[in-house]
Amino acid sequence: MTRASLDKQPHEVASMFDDVAERYDLTNDVLSLGQDRRWRKEVAKAVAARPAQKVLDLAAGTGTSSLPFARTGAYVVPCDFSQGMLRVGKRANAWLPYTAGDATRLPFKDDVFDAVTISFGLRNVQDTDAALREMHRVTRPGGRIVICEFSHPTWAPFRTVYTEYLMRALPPVARAVSSNPDAYVYLAESIRAWPDQAGLAGRLQQAGWSKVAWRDLTGGVVALHRGFKES
């Protein structure tokens, strides 16, 4: 079993997600107390995909996050660098155009997608800034980015409780439901080390995105960031 370190070596992260692929969606549902389904609905609303638009769904894993975009009539490309995740997804939804790809070196031409989105995957990329620039490159002028990522609760007492949950309660729960519980220790540590809402917004702006804004979900446990590529 593989557990990545916080320097996020790509082969370690990919191998770790290969290990958890079979029960990944179930484990997320249990660990988030069902909140992940609500968060994904909010992502779909923020992306606001329309028929015939092209949507790139990065860190798509098994493709669960891609299905809401497909249902709108958009052409969605689920992209992930974990071959294990893609294989599990392909078994369930073979019609989706699953694509293997590294967020820091995307296998797409410039100005292709109307929207690029990534949910709970950006903090696992070794070079966040390179990934944000790559997402900007493949987005058409006037297109948008939507990032859904764990963040920092805004109310201090709740933030303390949440941090305790991550580091104390999450690992034993993961041991009960996950095929690789050590992976979830890494995930808890990576959440704690991730920049806050304003910090991520600043990095989006530095990567070239404009009109950057965010809103908190579940008291800031998760934040939705959005930006646009200038026409």
Side-chain angles (χ1 to χ4, degrees), residues 36-129:
D36 61 317
R37 285 171 284 180
R38 174 177 165 251
W39 296 333
R40 293 194 188 281
K41 286 179 183 176
E42 294 301 322
V43 171
K45 284 187 209 173
V47 172
R50 298 191 296 276
Q53 286 193 331
K54 294 183 179 72
V55 177
L56 174 60
D57 185 17
L58 284 174
T62 63
T64 300
S65 59
S66 302
L67 294 175
F69 310 125
R71 293 189 194 108
T72 69
Y75 177 76
V76 58
V77 178
C79 182
D80 202 288
F81 74 163
S82 165
Q83 298 283 350
M85 286 286 205
L86 296 174
R87 280 193 294 272
V88 171
K90 200 74 174 172
R91 289 204 305 265
N93 296 290
W95 52 276
L96 283 170
Y98 290 94
T99 302
D102 182 339
T104 64
R105 296 187 301 275
L106 292 172
F108 307 106
K109 294 180 180 179
D110 297 353
D111 305 333
V112 172
F113 295 98
D114 297 283
V116 178
T117 184
I118 182 167
S119 293
F120 307 112
L122 186 59
R123 76 181 190 285
N124 299 317
V125 177
Q126 187 178 37
D127 190 337
T128 302
D129 299 318

Side-chain angles (χ1 to χ4, degrees), residues 102-186:
D102 182 339
T104 64
R105 296 187 301 275
L106 292 172
F108 307 106
K109 294 180 180 179
D110 297 353
D111 305 333
V112 172
F113 295 98
D114 297 283
V116 178
T117 184
I118 182 167
S119 293
F120 307 112
L122 186 59
R123 76 181 190 285
N124 299 317
V125 177
Q126 187 178 37
D127 190 337
T128 302
D129 299 318
L132 292 173
R133 290 192 298 268
E134 271 291 272
M135 289 183 242
H136 189 270
R137 178 184 67 78
V138 302
T139 302
R140 68 164 181 80
R144 58 210 180 272
I145 186 173
V146 173
I147 298 170
C148 182
E149 189 52 89
F150 289 108
S151 197
H152 294 244
T154 53
W155 188 46
F158 176 53
R159 187 162 59 243
T160 301
V161 171
Y162 173 65
T163 302
E164 288 294 307
Y165 169 74
L166 280 178
M167 302 314 298
R168 296 193 183 189
L170 188 148
V173 173
R175 279 194 290 275
V177 295
S178 172
S179 54
N180 183 3
D182 281 347
Y184 286 86
V185 176
Y186 154 79

